[in-house]
Amino acid sequence: MQISKTLIVFSSSKSIQVAERIKKTLGKEFETTIWNQGFFDGSHLPPVWTFLKNLMCYDFAAIVLGADDIMEVPDVASSGNQIKTTYVPKDNVVFELGAVMARIGPQKTFVFKPRKPSVKIPSYFDNPDREKIKKGSDIEEITTFVEYNRMEDM
């Protein structure tokens, strides 16, 4: 008897269709649960404690960093004198990303983000060698990033 690998998918409510597509696509390889399918149910504990406790039941995680909110940030290209608008994921999804990487490990974490519009990801993932990594250098990226154009691409 083969023990199945378990995967939990986190996203915002706005990006739930992407999470559902991930479940459909990876369902052949993993026993997959989306956060809104009972992950937070049945506990009298605060959501953060329920999250941390239930996370221990999964082998892998997928996080969707969607274009959920808009934030105004200094434009570094203009020496910070200008303000630009950028898309950012929900703050709770960024928290979930950090907690998942701490509990499950970055090697078992898949991060999904759209190609367009561009979404600001946490600066921990700013990697000037990302293009070299994609082209097959000897540097191994610790977390798998998956960019998608449309849900049909997945």
Side-chain angles (χ1 to χ4, degrees):
M1 180 174 120
Q2 183 179 354
I3 298 174
S4 62
K5 299 170 283 194
T6 56
L7 172 79
I8 180 70
V9 183
F10 293 105
S11 72
S12 65
S13 296
K14 191 173 179 180
S15 298
I16 198 69
Q17 288 182 324
V18 177
E20 289 167 350
R21 188 64 180 219
I22 292 168
K23 180 177 180 175
K24 182 179 178 186
T25 302
L26 297 179
K28 299 171 188 94
E29 299 294 322
F30 297 94
E31 183 180 319
T32 305
T33 303
I34 300 175
W35 66 270
N36 68 349
Q37 297 173 334
F39 183 83
F40 288 100
D41 296 348
S43 176
H44 62 283
L45 298 172
V48 69
W49 290 105
T50 301
F51 168 79
L52 293 171
K53 180 177 123 283
N54 289 346
L55 194 54
M56 297 299 289
C57 301
Y58 293 89
D59 302 310
F60 294 85
I63 311 287
V64 180
L65 297 179
D68 301 316
D69 287 331
I70 297 175
M71 178 182 285
E72 291 184 345
V73 296
D75 184 1
V76 290
S78 69
S79 303
N81 298 331
Q82 302 286 327
I83 299 293
K84 71 175 185 176
T85 301
T86 187
Y87 288 96
V88 295
K90 286 284 192 193
D91 57 355
N92 64 305
V93 178
V94 174
F95 169 81
E96 290 161 352
L97 171 62
V100 160
M101 291 181 80
R103 285 266 179 162
I104 293 177
Q107 301 88 344
K108 295 181 176 184
T109 304
F110 304 95
V111 181
F112 291 78
K113 69 183 200 72
R115 281 194 182 94
K116 300 280 182 189
S118 178
V119 174
K120 180 171 178 10
I121 61 174
S123 59
Y124 279 114
F125 301 108
D126 287 347
N127 185 345
D129 293 326
R130 186 176 303 275
E131 288 308 310
K132 279 195 235 171
I133 292 167
K134 286 181 182 175
K135 292 178 182 162
S137 78
D138 57 356
I139 301 169
E140 189 173 322
E141 192 157 15
I142 198 162
T143 301
T144 302
F145 276 86
V146 179
E147 293 183 324
Y148 58 91
N149 286 322
R150 306 174 313 259
M151 287 191 307
E152 295 79 28
D153 292 343
M154 296 171 38

